[in-house]
Amino acid sequence: MSYLPSLFFAILITIGFGYFALNVKKLLRNIKLGQDVHRSDNSAARWKNMAMIALGQSKMVKRPIAAILHIIVYVGFVIINLELLEIIIDGLFGTHRVFASLGVVYDILIGSFEVLAVLVLVAIIAFWMRRNIIKLKRFIHSDLKGSPKNDANYILYFEVVLMSLFLLMNAADFHLQNIDGGFGHYIQAGSFPVSQYISPLFDGMSNYAVQMLERTFWWLHITGILIFLNYLYYSKHLHILLAFPNTYFADLNPKGQFDNLESVTKEVKLMMDPNADPFAAQPVDENAVPSKFGASDVHDLNWVQLLNAYTCTECGRCTSACPANQTGKKLSPRKIMMDTRDRLEEVGRNIDKNKGVFIPDNISLLNNYITPEELWACTSCNACVEECPINISPLSIIMDMRRYLVMEQSAAPQSLNAMMTNIENNGAPWQFNQQDRLNWKDE
């Protein structure tokens, strides 16, 4: 019967990682719904971006307190979960602390993990207080209510439970290791600078009771890790995985440089070429879908913009730096990203429901999720792009949706229409006669 725990563990691992793989497949499918965009140039700069921004978190340091806390949680959580490899091997083969043969190295690793676990707990408590007691403005904004707010707290609670289980598991193990004559397979292995002070909790208990607790903590710990792994898809903490490709595929052009629509560029070049024949027959693809200017729904955005939406950490740095938002306007760059992700998820569910085919649902990102009022409030100053710690660009989505409003629906604000009319008629944005354009220099 000794093989049953290993069999059960193998089933648990298979289900956990299998469900995660299915969600990753769905995630990639949704991102690929976006339009193609070339982001494979200058690989050296892209690798540098990923190393500095995603791994090194260089943009986090602009807010030192949050940066220190985040680095502690990030480094601690990643390093502590290196013990997942040992847990998997032990679970599958019925061993216990299989890497104990590393000796001093193993002692250093376990000791480091415990210190980091305590630091992570301290940082998590600080994060919870910033959100729920101090209530920093960017965490109580109107676009961060309901499930987004709860999600942030759920993750904090998850991490507290996982770190606590890790320390309790070690404390019970330490207690059993130090029983005179040893107890079962609990050999002397590891250094326990923290959990040795927790182990007195088990004094007075029978050895078998402590063993049952140690096994319970062990099983809950690995189960919790698998639950956390699969919760990522539904959480803002998906950025733990996506921050790396997101920073790699980020736009390398200078901020403020926008792309030109290829179809419009060709049209302008044709108009300006005196040798071109505007009436020359052009090859026609009868199956081609007419191109749309700008974006009204997630299908019209490019795949990097959809990757941006899934990667958003909902930290609110973009919104807190947005001058339009600061002056009371409706625009929130964070909401732009959250709305894009929510609509993309809705489209994904539509495809799942209809066996791989999207059936038009009379809903679109524009109007149903994001209003023209929000889009036109943007000053295109790039503050949101500059502030984002993982190189997300809400502005690119805003500009593509504005482009749709202007070029497809002729729905620009009256002030903008007046300016464009003046440029067309007078060669300047003001309603002056062309002959009077330079009169300002005589004043």
Side-chain angles (χ1 to χ4, degrees):
M1 297 294 287
S2 61
Y3 65 88
L4 287 179
S6 295
L7 178 61
F8 182 77
F9 183 84
I11 294 172
L12 178 67
I13 287 290
T14 301
I15 293 174
F17 284 107
Y19 188 67
F20 176 72
L22 288 176
N23 278 335
V24 169
K25 183 179 179 181
K26 186 187 298 183
L27 175 73
L28 293 174
R29 179 206 65 190
N30 289 353
I31 291 173
K32 289 178 180 178
L33 293 174
Q35 301 295 312
D36 190 29
V37 62
H38 179 65
R39 291 291 171 85
S40 59
D41 60 313
N42 202 345
S43 60
R46 296 188 179 281
W47 282 110
K48 181 180 179 182
N49 264 357
M50 188 171 71
M52 294 293 293
I53 299 171
L55 185 62
Q57 302 188 54
S58 59
K59 294 183 74 173
M60 289 290 295
V61 297
K62 292 181 179 180
R63 304 192 186 196
I65 294 176
I68 293 171
L69 294 173
H70 190 273
I71 288 172
I72 289 173
V73 174
Y74 171 73
V75 173
F77 198 76
V78 170
I79 293 179
I80 290 170
N81 279 316
L82 290 176
E83 48 110 25
L84 182 62
L85 178 60
E86 182 180 56
I87 289 178
I88 291 175
I89 295 174
D90 284 345
L92 291 175
F93 297 99
T95 54
H96 184 73
R97 294 193 178 271
V98 69
F99 293 145
S101 58
L102 295 174
V104 175
V105 174
Y106 188 74
D107 292 346
I108 293 172
L109 286 174
I110 297 300
S112 301
F113 293 168
E114 291 209 344
V115 172
L116 282 170
V118 173
L119 291 175
V120 169
L121 285 171
V122 170
I124 288 170
I125 292 170
F127 274 135
W128 187 88
M129 291 179 66
R130 282 159 59 88
R131 285 182 175 273
N132 299 283
I133 296 179
I134 299 174
K135 295 184 177 180
L136 297 182
K137 185 177 179 181
R138 59 193 173 101
F139 296 139
I140 59 172
H141 195 273
S142 59
D143 60 21
L144 202 63
K145 292 182 178 179
S147 58
K149 179 181 179 180
N150 293 334
D151 173 54
N153 283 326
Y154 292 157
I155 289 292
L156 296 178
Y157 301 145
F158 244 122
E159 291 172 344
V160 167
V161 170
L162 290 177
M163 295 301 103
S164 299
L165 286 171
F166 171 72
L167 292 173
L168 287 169
M169 176 183 72
N170 281 355
D173 201 304
F174 177 80
H175 178 91
L176 294 169
Q177 287 182 26
N178 287 278
I179 292 173
D180 291 338
F183 181 79
H185 56 256
Y186 292 90
I187 59 172
Q188 292 284 335
S191 174
F192 305 94
V194 177
S195 58
Q196 64 178 313
Y197 297 106
I198 303 174
S199 65
L201 289 173
F202 307 112
D203 291 346
M205 296 184 185
S206 71
N207 295 338
Y208 292 102
V210 177
Q211 183 185 33
M212 286 297 294
L213 286 173
E214 187 275 334
R215 288 291 82 192
T216 300
F217 297 144
W218 187 91
W219 280 101
L220 288 175
H221 184 60
I222 182 61
T223 303
I225 290 174
L226 292 175
I227 293 173
F228 180 84
L229 179 67
N230 283 286
Y231 181 65
L232 288 182
Y233 176 80
Y234 307 97
S235 163
K236 74 188 186 73
H237 278 65
L238 194 56
H239 74 271
I240 293 173
L241 305 177
L242 295 186
F244 294 91
N246 194 80
T247 49
Y248 181 86
F249 292 115
D251 190 356
L252 297 180
N253 290 321
K255 292 182 179 65
Q257 178 178 328
F258 294 102
D259 63 307
N260 293 317
L261 288 175
E262 185 178 357
S263 56
V264 175
T265 301
K266 287 181 179 179
E267 188 74 19
V268 172
K269 286 182 177 179
L270 181 65
M271 293 171 61
M272 298 181 68
D273 184 358
N275 299 316
D277 181 2
F279 301 104
Q282 299 293 327
V284 177
D285 182 358
E286 295 181 356
N287 297 318
V289 178
S291 60
K292 179 189 290 185
F293 296 133
S296 63
D297 208 350
V298 290
H299 301 87
D300 308 318
L301 299 171
N302 65 56
W303 64 267
V304 174
Q305 291 170 319
L306 301 186
L307 174 63
N308 280 183
Y310 272 124
T311 310
C312 178
T313 71
E314 299 178 13
C315 65
R317 293 185 179 211
C318 53
T319 296
S320 66
C322 175
N325 189 272
Q326 290 176 7
T327 56
K329 294 182 174 62
K330 197 174 179 180
L331 173 65
S332 167
R334 173 170 58 187
K335 179 180 177 294
I336 297 293
M337 303 314 302
M338 293 167 65
D339 285 345
T340 302
R341 183 190 59 217
D342 290 346
R343 172 56 181 163
L344 184 54
E345 277 292 288
E346 183 178 46
V347 169
R349 290 192 295 272
N350 181 308
I351 294 173
D352 292 336
K353 181 180 178 181
N354 295 290
K355 299 179 180 180
V357 178
F358 176 72
I359 303 299
D361 53 4
N362 297 318
I363 299 174
S364 67
L365 182 61
L366 179 63
N367 295 319
N368 293 105
Y369 283 85
I370 301 172
T371 65
E373 180 185 354
E374 295 171 75
L375 298 174
W376 291 116
C378 177
T379 66
S380 63
C381 68
N382 268 297
C384 57
V385 183
E386 180 65 31
E387 282 294 314
C388 180
I390 47 178
N391 279 17
I392 290 171
S393 177
L395 180 59
S396 68
I397 295 176
I398 292 171
M399 297 306 292
D400 278 349
M401 296 182 76
R402 277 184 173 182
R403 183 177 278 168
Y404 174 83
L405 287 171
V406 172
M407 302 186 72
E408 290 278 348
Q409 295 192 331
S410 299
Q414 183 177 356
S415 57
L416 185 57
N417 281 330
M419 182 195 73
M420 290 189 289
T421 300
N422 289 333
I423 290 175
E424 181 180 2
N425 295 333
N426 307 322
W430 303 281
Q431 197 170 3
F432 299 143
N433 187 288
Q434 290 196 34
Q435 296 177 349
D436 298 330
R437 286 178 58 195
L438 298 178
N439 288 351
W440 61 271
K441 66 180 178 62
D442 299 325
E443 296 182 3

